[in-house]
Amino acid sequence: MIKVKNPNQLNIFDPWDFLTPKRRQMLESGWPGLFREHILPSRRATFCWASKEILADSLYGSDDNCERAKKHNVELIAPTMGSVKEDKLSLADFIFSQKGELIAPTG
C-alpha cells in the first residue's frame, strides 16, 4: 500500500521527535533544517480542509501532543494511559439517561 500525504497539510506532531538531540541538532543546522524552517512554510497553502478533531491511540494522548494540537486549533481525543484501579470509578461505570445526562452508579 502506498500512503501519500497532502503536501498542503501541516504536521501537528513533530516528525523529528524520535531523533536524539545530537542528530536533531545536526539536521537542524544543515540543509534539512533550512528546508524545513524556511522553504516548506512558504510553499504550503494557507487554506486547508483540516479536521478540528483528531481521534488517536493512547500513545498519542500525552499532554505535550495535546498542547501541540491545540496550537493548530485541533482537539486531540485519546484515551489515557494506564489501567483502571479496582477501587476507583471509570467512565464505563456511568450510564447515559434518555435525555443524554450522565448518571453516576449507585451503591
Side-chain angles (χ1 to χ4, degrees):
M1 177 187 338
I2 298 174
K3 293 183 180 183
V4 177
K5 180 182 168 216
N6 181 346
N8 294 329
Q9 181 180 350
L10 299 173
N11 288 322
I12 291 178
F13 306 111
D14 185 0
W16 287 4
D17 267 352
F18 69 94
L19 297 171
T20 62
K22 183 177 180 180
R23 174 133 348 229
R24 186 180 181 109
Q25 194 276 330
M26 184 177 71
L27 288 174
E28 287 175 346
S29 64
W31 70 265
L34 176 71
F35 186 82
R36 181 178 188 210
E37 296 298 320
H38 300 288
I39 298 171
L40 273 182
S42 67
R43 302 300 302 158
R44 288 191 174 130
T46 56
F47 184 79
C48 180
W49 291 99
S51 173
K52 295 298 177 191
E53 291 181 344
I54 292 180
L55 302 178
D57 189 301
S58 59
L59 292 175
Y60 292 99
S62 69
D63 290 338
D64 190 38
N65 285 342
C66 288
E67 289 302 315
R68 286 181 182 167
K70 195 180 294 185
K71 287 180 185 177
H72 295 283
N73 298 319
V74 175
E75 181 183 6
L76 177 60
I77 302 169
T80 57
M81 295 284 287
S83 60
V84 177
K85 307 287 188 233
E86 292 296 321
D87 60 338
K88 305 287 183 189
L89 294 176
S90 72
L91 188 57
D93 296 322
F94 292 78
I95 58 171
F96 284 97
S97 71
Q98 294 290 337
K99 296 178 183 178
E101 299 167 326
L102 194 58
I103 300 173
T106 58

